[in-house]
């Protein structure tokens, strides 16, 4: 374990290949929109160079091959697991070897839950082994399990209407899949709603648009004042089968066993690397603290108290303190659930974010603003690592021009989702026009993402990659999330989009305007 704290006063400045007229900083522009358009248009050759390198040149398939090496050898990376910490250490080394700058680990505290052994067997009307995946943060059952009759419902409303029937039973939800955002409420709230009416456990139909008898896991949330009951997801097929049985008045009895346990929070890290801006890392904070680096060969931290105290001190500095660097943040999360390989969710997003910086570095480009890569930890538990990053860095919120997150797969991109002011949206539309060679120019709404929402809610413009989601929820949070899902050519295109957008926004003379 070693801690390096040092002041950074400068760096190598390379000329940008894009050009623009000087303006006042902090978004107070002296230029017309036409002049901004001209500046963005002047980046056309740079955009083409990035596209050619990523899609047709020496870098093609690189993000895919890098990802395969990690997930094949490390496997799934659940919050609190040894696999996650091994992946973080590997990525720390990879980013250094790639020649990126200021590679460091920022300590965070994250949840630690393990599913243990689990099983479910239908005992009546016939013996049938039910495939299940316990939901994150669920409690376990007693060692002998829970054996009870089943109540099948299709909605929370039906559960309320039949509340008197639920006491002492296992509630099975067979909710129809509408879309992820609407249907996932049954996974996150199903146990609480079942417990309120006296159920002993809940089994939720997997939130999946298609199934080949594969359960899907995910986080669920208990509620203060409501008894905690075990909860797991079952396959679409079993949920529908039990619904059909129940419609005929057939009694269903299930024995559920879950060895799930929640342990105390543990130490982990967000993984960070940069391409330092050529023009706008121009201030050093008055406290002299510019970079905090923590590296560890193992998860255990003998100086945790020192680290915690230091982070606390930094997070309470006045708004003018901290590292005053203009930043475009590019990100994906490194953790995953404990099934499959976490290749799609979110290995692909994390690795095209790394690839974006690699492409820019390989071309010898250095934008005016710093490009910062963050590989988040414990996103699946609700953006835990990202929230702690926000708490540490929000003192410099005025220096963040754009926050970007890829966490919806890296299938063939169709555009960019964006949240920000109308003026910023107009600028982003011009930026996306540079991707005409790939025929990917759309700018749609809703650029939010779990790990960047903290910044967006505070007014920072945010963007997420929009791609073909048709197959995404086939594999999401399931044993099927493996490298077989990934397509190297589609990852090449996704990386090119990510690199062009992040570079051009970082190289503009002015930050994106806020509301």
């Amino acid at each position: 374990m070693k801690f390096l704290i040092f002041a950074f006063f400068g760096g190598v400045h390379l000329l940008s290949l894009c050009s623009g007229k000087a303006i006042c900083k902090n978004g107070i522009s002296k230029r017309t929109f036409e002049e901004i358009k001209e500046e963005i248009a002047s980046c056309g050759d740079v955009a083409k160079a990035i596209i050619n390198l990523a899609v047709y040149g020496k870098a093609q398939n690189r993000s895919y091959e890098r990802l395969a090496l990690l997930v094949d050898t490390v496997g799934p990376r659940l919050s609190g697991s040894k696999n996650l910490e091994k992946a973080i250490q590997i990525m720390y080394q990879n980013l250094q070897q790639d020649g990126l700058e200021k590679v460091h680990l920022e300590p965070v505290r994250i949840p630690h839950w393990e599913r243990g052994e689990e099983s479910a067997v239908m005992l009546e009307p016939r013996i049938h082994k039910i495939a299940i995946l316990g939901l994150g943060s669920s409690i376990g059952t007693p060692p002998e399990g829970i054996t009870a009759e089943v109540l099948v419902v299709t909605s929370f409303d039906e559960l309320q209407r039949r509340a008197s029937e639920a006491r002492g039973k296992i509630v099975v939800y067979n909710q129809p899949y509408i879309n992820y955002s609407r249907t996932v409420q049954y996974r996150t709230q199903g146990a609480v709603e079942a417990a309120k009416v006296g159920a002993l456990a809940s089994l939720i139909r997997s939130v999946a648009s298609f199934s080949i008898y594969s359960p899907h896991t995910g986080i669920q949330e208990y509620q203060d004042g409501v008894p905690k009951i075990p909860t797991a997801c079952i396959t679409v097929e079993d949920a529908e089968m039990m619904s059909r049985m129940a419609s005929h008045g057939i009694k269903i009895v299930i024995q559920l066993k879950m060895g799930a346990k929640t342990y105390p929070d543990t130490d982990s890290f967000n993984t960070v690397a940069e391409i330092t801006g050529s023009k706008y890392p121009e201030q050093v904070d008055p406290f002299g603290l510019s970079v905090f680096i923590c590296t560890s060969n193992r998860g255990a931290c003998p100086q945790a108290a020192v680290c915690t105290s230091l982070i606390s001190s930094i997070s309470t500095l006045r708004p003018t303190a901290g590292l005053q660097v203009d930043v475009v943040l590019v990100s994906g999360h490194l953790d995953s659930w404990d099934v499959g390989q976490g290749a799609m969710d979110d290995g692909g997003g994390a690795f095209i974010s790394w690839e974006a910086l690699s492409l820019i570095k390989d071309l010898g480009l250095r934008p005016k603003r710093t490009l910062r890569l963050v590989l988040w930890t414990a996103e699946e538990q609700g953006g835990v690592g990202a929230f702690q990053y926000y708490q540490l860095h929000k003192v410099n919120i005025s220096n963040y021009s754009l926050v970007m997150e890829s966490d919806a797969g890296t299938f063939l991109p169709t555009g960019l989702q964006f949240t920000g002011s109308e003026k910023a949206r107009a600028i982003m539309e011009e930026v996306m026009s540079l991707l005409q060679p790939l025929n990917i120019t759309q700018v749609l709404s809703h650029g939010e993402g779990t790990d960047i929402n903290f910044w967006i809610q505070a007014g920072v413009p945010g963007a997420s990659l929009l791609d073909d989601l048709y197959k995404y929820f086939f594999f999401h949070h399931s044993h099927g999330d493996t490298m077989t899902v990934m397509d190297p050519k589609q990852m090449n295109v996704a990386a090119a989009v990510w690199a062009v957008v992040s570079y051009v926004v970082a190289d503009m003379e002015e930050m994106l305007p806020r509301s």
Side-chain angles (χ1 to χ4, degrees):
M1 169 73 64
K2 58 182 177 181
F3 292 83
L4 305 182
I5 303 173
F6 56 90
F8 177 79
F9 293 97
V12 179
H13 297 321
L14 301 182
L15 292 177
S16 166
L17 297 188
C18 306
S19 61
K21 300 178 180 178
I23 64 155
C24 294
K25 196 173 173 287
N26 297 325
I28 306 174
S29 175
K30 291 184 177 180
R31 299 184 301 164
T32 66
F33 182 65
E34 288 302 316
E35 289 174 321
I36 295 173
K37 286 175 63 175
E38 289 178 7
E39 179 192 21
I40 294 170
S42 72
C43 292
D45 289 341
V46 173
K48 289 177 182 177
I50 291 172
I51 291 168
N52 287 336
L53 179 60
V55 179
Y56 312 110
K58 292 182 179 180
Q60 64 178 313
N61 302 345
R62 181 169 61 185
S63 58
Y64 175 91
E65 291 165 359
R66 285 170 165 176
L67 175 62
L69 183 59
L70 180 82
V71 303
D72 286 345
T73 55
V74 174
R77 304 165 301 281
L78 183 65
S79 174
S81 69
K82 292 181 180 179
N83 279 13
L84 175 58
E85 298 316 305
K86 181 178 180 181
I88 289 170
Q89 293 300 327
I90 289 172
M91 289 308 301
Y92 172 75
Q93 296 168 7
N94 286 343
L95 297 175
Q96 286 184 313
Q97 292 169 3
D98 195 32
L100 298 179
E101 300 161 339
K102 298 181 185 174
V103 178
H104 64 281
L105 303 177
E106 297 192 2
V108 296
R109 295 284 290 175
I110 63 173
H112 180 190
W113 172 88
E114 294 180 4
R115 73 175 58 255
E117 296 294 323
E118 56 187 18
S119 65
V121 179
M122 185 172 71
L123 303 176
E124 296 183 35
R126 63 181 174 90
I127 301 297
H128 168 61
K129 185 176 180 181
I130 297 171
I132 67 168
L133 281 177
L135 294 178
S137 79
S138 175
I139 64 168
T141 65
E144 68 276 13
I146 294 172
T147 301
E149 188 176 344
V150 163
L151 172 67
V152 182
V153 297
T154 58
S155 68
F156 290 143
D157 287 342
E158 183 181 357
L159 179 63
Q160 291 303 312
R161 292 195 304 269
R162 303 178 65 186
S164 61
E165 302 175 54
R167 183 164 298 278
K169 293 182 179 176
I170 296 174
V171 170
V172 170
Y173 293 94
N174 182 38
Q175 77 284 349
Y177 182 87
I178 300 171
N179 56 48
Y180 185 75
S181 61
R182 289 184 60 181
T183 311
V184 75
Q185 63 179 321
Y186 288 90
R187 190 194 76 204
T188 58
Q189 302 169 30
V192 166
E193 295 305 315
K196 286 178 180 177
V197 293
L200 300 179
S202 63
L203 297 174
I204 294 97
R205 168 176 164 158
S206 290
V207 185
S209 55
F210 178 78
S211 177
I212 306 179
Y213 201 71
S214 178
H216 297 232
T217 188
I219 197 69
Q220 67 87 33
E221 301 169 356
Y222 289 124
Q223 184 176 312
D224 291 342
V226 178
K228 295 180 179 180
I229 62 174
T231 183
C233 268
I234 59 176
T235 66
V236 172
E237 293 87 343
D238 280 340
E240 291 185 340
M241 177 187 68
M242 285 188 276
S243 185
R244 290 191 300 271
M245 288 178 173
S247 70
H248 291 290
I250 297 173
K251 181 181 178 180
I252 306 167
V253 176
I254 286 177
Q255 181 186 64
L256 175 67
K257 291 184 179 181
M258 293 175 60
K261 291 183 180 180
T262 297
Y263 297 91
D265 287 356
T266 188
D267 295 319
S268 187
F269 305 93
N270 291 319
T271 309
V272 185
E274 295 181 355
I275 293 177
T276 305
S278 64
K279 188 170 183 179
Y280 292 123
E282 76 277 13
Q283 300 178 40
V284 176
D285 68 89
F287 293 85
L289 176 64
S290 292
V291 179
F292 173 64
I293 298 181
C294 173
T295 65
S296 170
N297 292 324
R298 303 185 64 84
C301 176
Q303 301 190 60
V306 176
C307 169
T308 302
S309 175
L310 180 57
I311 291 177
S312 177
S313 298
I314 298 172
S315 65
T316 57
L317 298 181
R318 62 182 184 270
T320 57
L323 179 58
Q324 299 294 305
V325 175
D326 284 1
V327 172
V328 169
L329 186 149
V330 185
S331 69
H333 67 87
L334 196 56
D335 67 296
S336 72
W337 284 102
D338 56 338
V339 291
Q341 292 179 295
M344 181 190 75
D345 183 18
D346 183 38
F351 274 66
I352 67 162
S353 295
W354 172 19
E355 182 68 12
L357 269 68
S358 286
L359 292 167
I360 291 163
K361 176 188 65 67
D362 289 349
L363 288 169
L365 301 171
R366 188 176 292 277
K368 297 181 181 71
R369 286 173 180 79
T370 290
L371 271 177
R372 180 174 298 162
L373 167 68
V374 183
L375 305 179
W376 310 109
T377 195
E379 184 275 345
E380 297 293 1
Q381 284 63 43
V384 176
F387 175 71
Q388 292 179 55
Y389 177 92
Y390 174 73
Q391 290 297 108
L392 180 62
H393 294 274
K394 66 182 180 181
V395 292
N396 296 319
I397 195 167
S398 63
N399 295 91
Y400 281 71
S401 181
L402 177 67
V403 289
M404 302 168 60
E405 177 181 12
S406 174
D407 188 18
T410 49
F411 299 107
L412 188 64
T414 56
L416 192 76
Q417 292 178 277
F418 179 77
T419 297
S421 68
E422 287 304 312
K423 290 182 179 179
R425 176 176 295 276
I427 291 171
M428 293 304 294
E429 288 173 351
E430 295 302 316
V431 172
M432 288 299 291
S433 71
L434 298 175
L435 290 157
Q436 183 61 52
L438 295 174
N439 196 30
I440 303 170
T441 59
Q442 292 187 93
V443 178
L444 292 91
S445 57
H446 304 299
E448 295 83 3
T450 298
D451 291 317
I452 60 174
N453 281 346
F454 309 108
W455 298 92
I456 292 174
Q457 291 164 6
V460 178
S464 56
L465 185 70
L466 177 64
D467 61 349
D468 182 0
L469 288 177
Y470 174 69
K471 295 192 296 182
Y472 186 78
F473 293 106
F474 292 11
F475 308 106
H476 184 246
H477 294 182
S478 78
H479 288 287
D481 183 356
T482 69
M483 281 304 298
T484 301
V485 177
M486 311 303 287
D487 183 312
K489 293 182 179 179
Q490 293 179 355
M491 285 190 72
N492 294 339
V493 175
V497 172
W498 221 222
V500 169
V501 172
S502 60
Y503 175 79
V504 174
V505 173
D507 200 52
M508 291 175 60
E509 275 290 336
E510 62 187 336
M511 295 174 67
L512 290 176
R514 303 185 186 182
S515 300

